[in-house]
Amino acid sequence: MEFIYLDCYTYASKGEEGISLAALNITYNRTLTLKLHPKNSVFTAEGCAILIAIERFIQEEDKSYILCSDSLSVLKSLESLHRKSPTISLQIGSAIIRAILRSKAIKLVWVPAHVGITIIEQADEAARAAHTSEVNIYPCISTEDLRKVIFRVQADQGRIQWESTKYFRSFKHLPKTTKTQLLPRRREILLTRLRTRSLPAKAILFKVGLESSPLCRQCGIVDSNDHILLTCIFFEQLRNNLGASLGSGALHYNWICTISTYNQRACSAVLHFLLQVPISFKIAT
C-alpha cells in the first residue's frame, strides 16, 4: 500500500494580527499557511489546519494518507461526532467523508510533541512565519467562538455599567483569589464583611436609621470598621492579642484583610477577634 504522509501543526498566538496556522505535505514538499481572525480559539485554529490539509492535499485517487497533528483535543472530538459537536469538528468530519470517496484510506495520528522532529518543526516554522507575514486574515469566526465573544462583550458592558453607579466599591487591597479553608456560614460572613468594610458598626447602622448616633460610646468618634479594628479603646486588649497572633505590633486594615485570605493561622486569629466583638452578634446566622 502506497502512503502519502501529511503533517499538520498549528501555531497559535492571540495577538492583534490574528492566529496563524500551517499544513505541510512532506511528500510533495508543499506548505499551506493561513491566518484567522484573532477572536477564534486555538482549538478552532488547530482544527482549521487539519481541515485545509484534508481539502487541499488529499486529491489523488487510490492512495492512502496519514495526517499527523499535535492537537489531541481536536482528534478526540472527531471520535464521537454529534449535532452539538464544535463547528470545526463537524466540518472536518464532512471533509473526511468527501475525501474517503477519492482515496483508499485516511488515518489521523496524534503526535504528542514536535521538539526534535524535523518535519513537524518545519510546519511550526511555517506557521510562525505566517504570523508575521502579510498574509490576509481569513474573515471567519466559528459559532462557538463568536458566542463567547458576545457573552464577553455583554459581561464587560454590564461590569462597566455597574462600576459607573454610586453603589460600586473597588476592593483593590484584596487578592483576586483566596486560599482559606472552608468555614461555617457565619464566619464566612464575618470575614467577607470585614474585607468589604461592611461590618454593622454604628456609623453604618446610623445611615439606615438603626442607630441614633454614629459615634462610639467609649471614644466619642465615628464608630467605623476601621475604628473598631484599629483604634477603639474598648477592644484594646483583643487588638493586642490579635497583633501578637499575627506577629505584628502595628496593625493596618488592608494588611489584615489581605493576610487573612491566604494564611490559615491569620484567618483564625482575625475570626477570634471578630467573634469577641459585640457587633458579631448583630449578624444573622
Side-chain angles (χ1 to χ4, degrees):
M1 181 181 295
E2 182 181 357
F3 287 91
I4 294 181
Y5 291 88
L6 301 182
D7 193 13
C8 172
Y9 176 72
T10 302
Y11 174 76
S13 177
K14 304 293 287 188
E16 294 294 334
E17 301 85 359
I19 304 177
S20 62
L21 54 94
L24 177 64
N25 185 329
I26 64 174
T27 302
Y28 297 111
N29 195 24
R30 292 180 56 197
T31 302
L32 296 176
T33 58
L34 186 67
K35 283 171 49 173
L36 300 180
H37 193 281
K39 297 301 182 182
N40 283 291
S41 64
V42 175
F43 178 89
T44 299
E46 291 171 338
C48 282
I50 297 174
L51 180 62
I52 65 172
I54 295 173
E55 292 183 339
R56 303 292 181 85
F57 291 154
I58 301 180
Q59 300 292 339
E60 299 185 37
E61 297 181 358
D62 299 327
K63 290 186 179 180
S64 299
Y65 294 81
I66 296 178
L67 192 152
C68 302
S69 173
D70 72 335
S71 178
L72 181 61
S73 58
V74 175
L75 297 180
K76 283 289 186 181
S77 70
L78 298 175
E79 290 182 348
S80 56
L81 289 174
H82 49 83
R83 63 184 182 87
K84 292 186 178 180
S85 294
T87 303
I88 188 64
S89 300
L90 295 174
Q91 291 177 340
I92 295 173
S94 298
I96 291 175
I97 292 175
R98 294 192 299 270
I100 288 177
L101 299 177
R102 59 178 182 267
S103 61
K104 284 186 176 180
I106 300 174
K107 186 174 183 179
L108 277 66
V109 179
W110 174 52
V111 182
H114 66 278
V115 177
I117 303 177
T118 304
I119 301 303
I120 303 183
E121 287 186 345
Q122 290 178 8
D124 185 10
E125 293 174 1
R128 291 176 183 271
H131 183 69
T132 57
S133 68
E134 298 298 327
V135 177
N136 292 330
I137 297 178
Y138 188 68
C140 178
I141 304 177
S142 72
T143 305
E144 295 79 17
D145 295 331
L146 181 59
R147 186 182 297 114
K148 291 179 181 178
V149 171
I150 294 174
F151 287 162
R152 192 178 303 117
V153 170
Q154 291 177 336
D156 289 341
Q157 290 178 343
R159 176 182 54 79
I160 293 173
Q161 291 178 356
W162 162 242
E163 291 179 354
S164 63
T165 65
K166 64 179 181 179
Y167 303 104
F168 173 77
R169 292 178 60 190
S170 178
F171 303 104
K172 296 181 179 180
H173 61 285
L174 297 178
K176 293 183 178 180
T177 58
T178 61
K179 297 181 180 180
T180 54
Q181 72 279 21
L182 294 177
L183 299 171
R185 173 176 168 78
R186 183 186 178 192
R187 299 193 176 194
E188 288 283 3
I189 293 174
L190 275 173
L191 284 175
T192 300
R193 289 198 170 187
L194 170 73
R195 295 163 183 164
T196 58
R197 282 185 167 85
S198 59
L199 288 169
K202 292 189 66 177
I204 294 178
L205 298 178
F206 174 75
K207 289 182 179 181
V208 294
L210 298 179
E211 283 283 354
S212 59
S213 171
L215 303 180
C216 174
R217 294 187 179 90
Q218 286 74 28
C219 307
I221 61 177
V222 175
D223 187 32
S224 64
N225 280 226
D226 292 74
H227 173 68
I228 294 173
L229 189 62
L230 304 176
T231 60
C232 184
I233 58 176
F234 188 74
F235 307 121
E236 183 174 0
Q237 184 58 49
L238 290 174
R239 190 178 306 111
N240 292 337
N241 295 338
L242 175 62
S245 299
L246 298 179
S248 174
L251 299 177
H252 302 278
Y253 199 101
N254 290 350
W255 177 78
I256 293 174
C257 294
T258 301
I259 195 174
S260 65
T261 60
Y262 62 84
N263 186 297
Q264 184 173 346
R265 179 179 177 183
C267 179
S268 299
V270 172
L271 276 172
H272 179 75
F273 174 87
L274 294 176
L275 291 171
Q276 302 302 313
V277 175
I279 59 170
S280 65
F281 298 106
K282 299 177 183 179
I283 299 178
T285 58

